[in-house]
Amino acid sequence: LRASELAAIRVGDLDVTTGDLFIVAGKGDKPRQLRLGVRARKVARRYWLRHRQSIGEDGPFFLGRGNV
């Protein structure tokens, strides 16, 4: 997973339960799918529950100062 792909993850691109992640525009603008490992899945789920769940199902997965 490239840093630019990580920053571009939208809420709908990641299933925090299964760890399935759909990269819409990867290297060469090619879509691809991958699965997060157990540890990364736990961290993503914890982040989701603490910071994203109450905000809604739309928008970027990771919040920055401009989208809080």
Side-chain angles (χ1 to χ4, degrees):
L1 183 63
R2 294 169 179 82
S4 60
E5 295 170 344
L6 181 67
I9 294 173
R10 309 285 295 172
V11 173
D13 297 341
L14 175 62
D15 183 336
V16 293
T17 305
T18 64
D20 290 332
L21 175 60
F22 183 71
I23 304 298
V24 177
K27 186 175 181 180
D29 284 329
K30 295 179 183 176
R32 64 189 176 111
Q33 187 172 352
L34 56 97
R35 179 166 288 169
L36 300 179
V38 174
R39 189 172 176 191
R41 193 178 318 146
K42 286 180 182 179
V43 171
R45 184 166 172 76
R46 189 176 319 133
Y47 177 84
W48 168 259
L49 291 172
R50 287 185 185 167
H51 302 290
R52 269 314 263 143
Q53 187 178 26
S54 63
I55 295 173
E57 297 281 332
D58 192 25
F61 185 81
F62 295 106
L63 298 174
R65 292 181 186 166
N67 51 6
V68 175

